[in-house]
Amino acid sequence: MLKLGFNEATCMKKSNVETDLRLCEKYGYDYIELRLDMLKDYFASHSIQELQSFFAGSHIKPFAFNSIENINFNTPSDWEKLLDLFKFGCETAQAIGNPYMIVVPTVRDDMVTKNEKEVLEDSVKVLNELADVAKPYGVKLSFEPIGNRRWCCNSMRQAMEIIQAVGRDDVGLTVDCINFYLHDKGADIGYLRKIPKEKLFVFHINDCEDLPLGILDHCHRVFPGDGVIPVQEVCDAVQAVGYDEIASLELFRPEYWEMEPEDVIRIGAEKCHQFF
Ligand code: ZN
């Protein structure tokens, strides 16, 4: 069975690492996906030992850090900045036993001018480079295609082709309900059932409003079951391949950012449990 996870994007405007950890433990979440920017804020007034001792004494465990963004087609100076953040993530991950890092393709206006071959070649190169850096820390990369066309990798099929071309056991896929839906309204749900179990690392659960592609965006995410994504079918598909790890609630909805984090975290657990 899938296990309940919480992604810190969901309450990121009113909450912080300490609050998310306390509330997710209270409401029975199994895993948390910590955000790198929120971890940096946390370490301004807390130590790594405090984080280690929290996890040692709690049911909830860390699962994946979010996220290393814009990994493709970087200038050398942008790549150096990305590597600094990535190494901070790897060191922290190793210290608290967090197995995965989410890595995201590049979003930029000129990405629509890149063909799939160029995106594949660049992605294979940068994913190998990042995986080499992460390896000594025991951290694996979970590559997440983002469904909107402005991201250079925007379908599960394209991401899987890249991951297969990389061909290493420490680089796999993130399936996210809205990123799957944003590509073609989930027309090929059967594709999810063909993902090899060993390549499926992270599953993000969410739903969205009924809006046309091109208008629909991440701010339109809603609680699972409140929108138009066939969430049950997506959950069934990832479980059909044998995946039984995290279903992580990941929302970027401004309306929820204004709510009390405790309400969002409590309601979120109830909404997710309808599906597993
Ligand atoms: Zn996601």
Side-chain angles (χ1 to χ4, degrees), residues 118-264:
E118 291 169 316
V119 174
L120 182 128
E121 285 170 0
D122 183 75
S123 299
V124 169
K125 178 173 74 90
V126 294
L127 287 169
N128 267 308
E129 209 169 320
L130 292 173
D132 286 343
V133 174
K135 201 170 184 61
Y137 299 95
V139 174
K140 297 181 177 189
L141 308 184
S142 191
F143 186 50
E144 180 165 352
I146 308 295
N148 317 53
R149 290 297 192 274
R150 290 174 61 245
W151 273 264
C152 66
C153 176
N154 47 54
S155 74
M156 298 295 149
R157 190 261 317 148
Q158 187 187 4
M160 266 315 298
E161 286 175 12
I162 290 166
I163 289 161
Q164 299 285 19
V166 170
R168 44 195 294 172
D169 60 12
D170 52 0
V171 178
L173 179 72
T174 306
V175 170
D176 179 313
C177 291
I178 192 173
N179 285 318
F180 170 67
Y181 184 83
L182 269 168
H183 182 69
D184 58 5
K185 292 207 167 183
D188 190 11
I189 200 150
Y191 185 82
L192 296 179
R193 292 174 177 259
K194 297 180 200 152
I195 297 166
K197 178 186 182 214
E198 68 276 10
K199 294 295 182 195
L200 181 44
F201 285 179
V202 181
F203 173 46
H204 288 164
I205 188 167
N206 47 63
D207 209 333
C208 68
E209 293 179 48
D210 189 3
L211 291 166
L213 297 185
I215 304 293
L216 183 65
D217 212 337
H218 298 278
C219 61
H220 302 119
R221 292 178 184 224
V222 292
F223 286 120
D226 288 2
V228 294
I229 298 177
V231 178
Q232 188 66 62
E233 282 181 66
V234 178
C235 288
D236 291 348
V238 298
Q239 291 183 99
V241 309
Y243 187 79
D244 59 359
E245 294 286 341
I246 196 171
S248 184
L249 179 69
E250 186 190 42
L251 306 169
F252 287 87
R253 188 174 182 81
E255 188 186 322
Y256 298 163
W257 286 335
E258 296 306 313
M259 291 169 62
E260 286 307 315
E262 179 149 12
D263 292 334
V264 176

